[in-house]
Amino acid sequence: MSSKRLVSLILGGGRGTRLSPLTSHRSKPAVPIAGKYRLVDIPISNCLNSGMNKIYVLTQFNSASLNRHIKNSFTFDLFSRGFVDILAAEQTVENAEWYQGTADAVRQSFHHFDNEEYDYVLILSGDQLYQMDYRDMLEKHKESGSDLSIATIPVDAHDATGFGIMKTDEQNHITSFIEKPDASELENWSSDTGEHMKSKGRSYLASMGIYLFNREVLEKLLFSTDGTDFGKNIIPESIESHTVTSYQFEGYWTDIGTIKSFFIANLDLARNIPHFNLYDTERPIYTHARMLPPAKVVGTSLENVVLSEGAIIHASRLERSVVGIRTRIGKATSIEDSYIMGSDRYETLEEINENLAQGLPPIGIGERCYIKNAILDKNVRIGNDVRIQGGDHLQDRETKDYNVVDGIIVVKKDAVIPNGYTI
């Protein structure tokens, strides 16, 4: 099924406060994931693996690093007519406001892609981890004669209260929608999700925030209403006036909207058989090709570790952790259940010696440290004999150099943790 008559819009989201402090200096789609990628690489790769190469990324906050990443990562040959373009929020003569929500972002950006030749618009989120072939969704959308298809995933009663829940009929048409229902309301919101899903108690269809519109339908819905959000405004209105179909997805999918979900998703990659397959040769994840040297490990015990290129590891032990690009870890250091994002550059020996003379640790993690239940953002400087141990015993708090969120210690980008410090 041809997908040339389709454009994809990836929504960069708002301030991303629930992912703070990782979003203090970057937009949500630019947050590093799995050691060497950015969150935006996931939907872009899904598009490219689905043969869809006309992609816009809509962003508003802290977009500089995202711009650089996309410029350095996604370049197409002259004959493909493909592109990945950033559409940053802008004030115009017609509209002096910033994006007020997901639908408003598409509405304000519409004139940028209105001249493209397309019949369908695929709207995606920039902060989800999953692998999907959108061609199958497009094919079923065409076969059903739908105006709008919404990707849904079966969930159980416990998870249903955290999502927008769709109710479907025998033809998979969505007949009603409720946003984050109370547990007492769920009785009337179950759908036929199939015997396999029902056997797991997954009888409720949650919206994945993935929408496939016919072009003219999207334009009509956007410009005949003042609704600013797809989930709260456009989708409920469309169910009443258009043919809206559920596209049921049963693979792995997680919404990376909080520090905890981000932490769990990354550490899951270090399992023997992770839910998300980074090693699928049919569906590779594309990112910036950095031409880094191989990782080097000296005298370290590794157990369930994702180790990125360019890392230099002298630690005594790493367990259940993800180690990012150019990470440096000193001797006799132990790390468990942590995500180390790495660094943007290598320091020279001269720089290291000059910094040490001024009492500044090198970029990376020093010697004889113990780190558990932590996220270390890019370019952190952890001195020697530092102890960072997250867990339920810690109360949420924010400091200059780190935050504690749900028991997870998040050391901020470029933070300096001096020798002997304990968190």
Side-chain angles (χ1 to χ4, degrees), residues 284-304:
I285 306 302
Y286 301 99
T287 192
H288 176 39
R290 298 176 179 85
M291 308 306 174
L292 288 171
K296 179 167 64 175
V297 181
V298 181
T300 306
S301 170
L302 302 175
E303 184 75 27
N304 291 94

Side-chain angles (χ1 to χ4, degrees), residues 265-283:
N266 276 284
L267 262 58
D268 182 81
L269 298 171
R271 289 165 40 126
N272 287 345
I273 304 178
H275 290 98
F276 186 86
N277 185 7
L278 288 171
Y279 307 93
D280 189 338
T281 56
E282 298 296 320
R283 297 182 294 183

Side-chain angles (χ1 to χ4, degrees), residues 86-378:
I86 289 280
L87 294 181
E90 58 186 359
Q91 293 178 316
T92 64
V93 174
E94 292 80 14
N95 196 326
E97 300 292 331
W98 299 117
Y99 297 156
Q100 302 301 305
T102 54
D104 189 57
V106 176
R107 183 188 295 118
Q108 289 196 42
S109 304
F110 206 86
H111 65 282
H112 287 293
F113 47 86
D114 197 35
N115 292 328
E116 287 289 332
E117 295 182 358
Y118 65 96
D119 300 313
Y120 305 97
V121 182
L122 180 65
I123 297 179
L124 307 168
S125 172
D127 56 358
Q128 298 174 348
L129 185 62
Y130 65 105
Q131 288 171 308
M132 180 189 291
D133 190 336
Y134 302 131
R135 286 172 295 195
D136 186 58
M137 185 177 182
L138 177 60
E139 183 174 355
K140 288 182 170 57
H141 174 82
K142 292 179 177 180
E143 290 174 352
S144 66
S146 298
D147 298 315
L148 161 63
S149 292
I150 300 175
T152 60
I153 190 165
V155 296
D156 59 24
H158 178 267
D159 291 335
T161 56
F163 291 98
I165 299 298
M166 308 288 179
K167 177 79 172 179
T168 58
D169 61 17
E170 294 79 5
Q171 287 78 42
N172 283 330
H173 293 157
I174 296 172
T175 57
S176 52
F177 167 80
I178 185 171
E179 180 71 22
K180 296 182 179 179
D182 188 82
S184 61
E185 301 177 276
L186 289 177
E187 182 180 356
N188 299 318
W189 285 92
S190 63
S191 296
D192 183 6
T193 57
E195 292 302 319
H196 179 62
M197 290 291 106
K198 283 184 177 179
S199 67
K200 296 183 175 182
R202 295 167 63 177
S203 301
Y204 307 94
L205 288 173
S207 171
M208 298 168 64
I210 297 172
Y211 313 117
L212 178 60
F213 284 90
N214 294 345
R215 173 179 179 164
E216 65 277 6
V217 171
L218 175 62
E219 189 168 4
K220 179 182 177 181
L221 288 169
L222 286 177
F223 293 99
S224 63
T225 177
D226 294 328
T228 58
D229 190 79
F230 281 108
K232 295 176 182 177
N233 309 119
I234 302 299
I235 299 306
E237 292 175 17
S238 67
I239 291 172
E240 297 178 2
S241 57
H242 294 78
T243 302
V244 183
T245 302
S246 164
Y247 173 75
Q248 184 170 316
F249 179 71
E250 297 181 3
Y252 172 73
W253 172 87
T254 186
D255 180 32
I256 302 182
T258 65
I259 290 294
K260 187 171 184 179
S261 62
F262 176 80
F263 184 70
I264 291 172
N266 276 284
L267 262 58
D268 182 81
L269 298 171
R271 289 165 40 126
N272 287 345
I273 304 178
H275 290 98
F276 186 86
N277 185 7
L278 288 171
Y279 307 93
D280 189 338
T281 56
E282 298 296 320
R283 297 182 294 183
I285 306 302
Y286 301 99
T287 192
H288 176 39
R290 298 176 179 85
M291 308 306 174
L292 288 171
K296 179 167 64 175
V297 181
V298 181
T300 306
S301 170
L302 302 175
E303 184 75 27
N304 291 94
V305 175
V306 175
L307 188 60
S308 302
E309 64 263 39
I312 302 174
I313 311 298
H314 292 268
S316 61
R317 182 171 60 96
L318 301 180
E319 291 185 20
R320 299 178 302 277
S321 295
V322 176
V323 179
I325 57 172
R326 303 187 190 89
T327 295
R328 182 197 62 81
I329 305 178
K331 296 178 180 179
T333 286
S334 294
I335 298 176
E336 304 173 32
D337 302 303
S338 294
Y339 177 20
I340 316 299
M341 289 189 182
S343 62
D344 292 318
R345 68 183 185 89
Y346 292 113
E347 287 184 297
T348 65
L349 288 176
E350 290 79 6
E351 288 177 314
I352 291 174
N353 289 331
E354 288 177 7
N355 288 332
L356 286 173
Q358 299 175 30
L360 184 66
I363 294 176
I365 302 169
E367 300 180 353
R368 300 176 302 279
C369 296
Y370 178 72
I371 298 171
K372 183 174 183 179
N373 292 330
I375 299 172
L376 273 57
D377 205 337
K378 286 284 193 74

Side-chain angles (χ1 to χ4, degrees), residues 380-394:
V380 299
R381 298 173 182 268
I382 308 295
N384 297 329
D385 303 297
V386 169
R387 186 175 183 87
I388 300 174
Q389 184 170 1
D392 294 337
H393 64 286
L394 296 178

